[in-house]
Amino acid sequence: MIDAVVVENVHKAFGSIQAVRGLSLRVPVGQVYGLLGPNGSGKTTLIRLIAGLLRADGGTVRVLDAPMPDKAVLAQVGYMTQAHALYNDLTVRENVGFFGAMAGGVTQARIDEVIALVDLAERADSLVGTLSGGMKQRVSLACALVHRPRLLLLDEPTVGVDPQLRVQFWQHFRRLTAEGVTIIVSSHVMDEAERCDRLGFIRQGGLLAEGSSAELRQRTGTTTLEDAFLCFAKGAAQ
Amino acid sequence: MNANHSNRTLTLAGRVIRQIARDRRTVALFLVVPMLVLALGALLLRSEAGAVPLGVVNHDEGVDVLLVGHVSLAERIVAALEEGEGVIVVPLSAAEADEALRTGQVRGVATFPPEFSAGFAQARRATIPLRLEGSNPTDALSLKGNLTRAAIQALAGLASLSGMPAIDMHDLPITIETTYLYGGAEYDLLDFFAPVYIALIVFFFVFLLTTVSFLRERTQGTIERLLATPASRLEIAAGYMLGFMVFALAQAGLLLLFVVIVVGIHYAGSLLIVFLVLALVVVTAVNLGIFLSTFARNEFQVLQFIPLVIFPMVLLSGLIWPVADLPDILRPFAYVLPLTYANEALRDVMIKGRGLGEIAPLLGVLILFGVGMLALAAATIRREVA
């Protein structure tokens, strides 16, 4: 297996709205792949297709060699949603423990370890409802990591996270990829995109361009990813 | 300054109106639902109380009265009963009487002994034994009333014929002596009502709790995350069911002990079987809650389910009016409510003292409802995301 995720010519419509149209991409094992695009471009739909929460209208999605949706594969997938999807009336430890148990094979030691990892050891027994937005985001990440997934899907993971914490998140992401974990992260923050191994520009449900940050800038002769994106978008429009 | 104040007030009122008007379903519900509920109530209250079937075992041999000839007082009472609209007279033999009561063919049996007329002619007093089914106090009242009325009518007719003295309404010469197949004279309306009240309360709270918790699961996005784990939809629905079962059964158990020990209601059957029936009620309530939560966008819309789901249950499930007495157009609705079957099972156990074997068909229907609702709930969890 070279590619952790293979998306081939996938279509997905919600009623009359075409959210994803004929999109194909491959994410090699151990890479951080960034999905970059404006709001409503289809990033979240793509991630939900990969997470097996949606069934493609056409085309195929393969995750860790299995065609999606496949419940068994999900034990090896960690998914962090955009909004902090947590139980506010449970403690940090209970939330992490719950999602760990749902995936299966998670020990108490692992739960403590992952809570320490997101720097919340002191708040482990606080109710999630009493935490700040940034802390909730960290709990959310802990829930996605607790079962040691081989594929991590992060939908806007650092929205509302302060720069210092963002750096910590990325240090951890890098440690994970070194262990062979594949990460797909959606973002519209350019600084974050710079840190990805490979980027896919998403626009109107399709893949506009793909490559490393340096390649994309070079191909358009621009100095920032923002300009590069606009340049590709303009080219596509013409 | 005053103008400014009223402007702000008007603006705010305008905003409130716009927000509510935009929620079309809420508007439709609060305009239409009260009328529906009232229409339902009107149908129920205006419907003529159906005639109650009364079995009659007539052994009366009659008596010869001077100047009048052979007279059977019992025959005259039966004729008066048939003339009235309250009861339908079903002639029975003594051997058939209890069986007819047990199967529900009749709700009471009046027996006239062979010397009924002769005894009356001699003592100017008579007693009519009335055996009641006993699980419905309303029936008992109606049958006693009708029988008394018929007896007075018959005696009045006889008095005008034979010059008997007029009847003293304060000391009726006819006494009705009631015995019961189930329950007994000490069973009152509360005994009839309490078992099914518990079922309704349990259903109501479990339904409301599940709907709101599942709605939260959707609005907070945790259901999305839950579905991104290997957990299947059936596992999720079943997990909810088990979780709520603990509280619902604690509630049911406590209520049951309360009505038995503190309120002191009578019961003839096993409380364990009652508990089992309540557990099945919980299963249907939890799954109906999960299913209906799909159709609510917020807690406010959950509240709207109360008149839609709970009112029909209160009115049609046999809680107040026996299902058999419902108007013909409403009776089919009673049969699609799980509570109808639960209520019948509960009364069978609590009042008639029936065992597991005898209420098995009712339990079977409840289990079918439970399984059906579980499938429906699991299907809607899927519909939400894929």
Side-chain angles (χ1 to χ4, degrees), chain A residues 15-82:
Chain A
S16 60
I17 299 160
Q18 274 285 334
V20 174
R21 34 186 125 195
L23 193 144
S24 301
L25 60 80
R26 286 166 178 273
V27 182
V29 169
Q31 279 207 353
V32 180
Y33 191 102
L35 296 171
L36 207 60
N39 285 325
S41 57
K43 289 174 302 195
T44 298
T45 303
L46 182 58
I47 287 189
R48 294 179 74 205
L49 281 161
I50 296 170
L53 289 165
L54 295 174
R55 194 182 287 274
D57 296 336
T60 56
V61 178
R62 294 180 72 82
V63 171
L64 304 171
D65 273 348
M68 295 306 280
D70 180 340
K71 279 277 171 199
V73 174
L74 291 179
Q76 302 183 43
V77 176
Y79 176 35
M80 181 174 166
T81 52
Q82 229 173 68

Side-chain angles (χ1 to χ4, degrees), chain B residues 162-174:
Chain B
S162 65
M164 254 176 16
I167 306 159
D168 176 3
M169 295 304 277
H170 296 289
D171 180 28
L172 288 177
I174 299 253

Side-chain angles (χ1 to χ4, degrees), chain B residues 142-313:
Chain B
S142 144
L143 288 179
K144 264 195 215 167
N146 277 297
L147 200 54
T148 312
R149 204 174 311 125
I152 293 171
Q153 230 176 305
L155 286 175
L158 215 56
S160 61
L161 261 177
S162 65
M164 254 176 16
I167 306 159
D168 176 3
M169 295 304 277
H170 296 289
D171 180 28
L172 288 177
I174 299 253
T175 325
I176 291 163
E177 195 182 78
T178 44
T179 56
Y180 296 84
L181 176 65
Y182 306 116
E186 77 276 16
Y187 275 63
D188 59 14
L189 207 58
L190 192 63
D191 299 307
F192 178 69
F193 190 66
V196 294
Y197 168 77
I198 298 175
L200 178 75
I201 288 295
V202 168
F203 190 97
F204 177 69
F205 279 108
V206 172
F207 168 74
L208 218 56
L209 277 175
T210 331
T211 316
V212 171
S213 341
F214 219 79
L215 181 77
R216 269 196 214 157
E217 191 106 50
R218 287 179 206 278
T219 51
Q220 292 189 354
T222 45
I223 189 71
E224 166 113 350
R225 198 162 199 162
L226 208 48
L227 285 166
T229 72
S232 72
R233 297 178 289 270
L234 203 61
E235 282 173 320
I236 294 172
Y240 257 82
M241 206 167 74
L242 274 181
F244 281 111
M245 188 89 92
V246 170
F247 291 99
L249 288 185
Q251 184 194 39
L254 196 66
L255 267 174
L256 204 57
L257 289 180
F258 183 79
V259 296
V260 167
I261 295 169
V262 181
V263 181
I265 68 157
H266 302 91
Y267 63 98
S270 150
L271 290 183
L272 262 175
I273 302 178
V274 170
F275 211 57
L276 176 73
V277 175
L278 291 174
L280 289 174
V281 169
V282 173
V283 172
T284 56
V286 168
N287 291 305
L288 183 70
I290 294 178
F291 171 64
L292 283 182
S293 75
T294 325
F295 305 103
R297 266 173 289 139
N298 48 49
E299 270 96 341
F300 185 52
Q301 293 193 337
V302 170
L303 288 182
Q304 299 165 3
F305 287 134
I306 297 175
L308 275 182
V309 175
I310 304 299
F311 283 9
M313 291 233 179

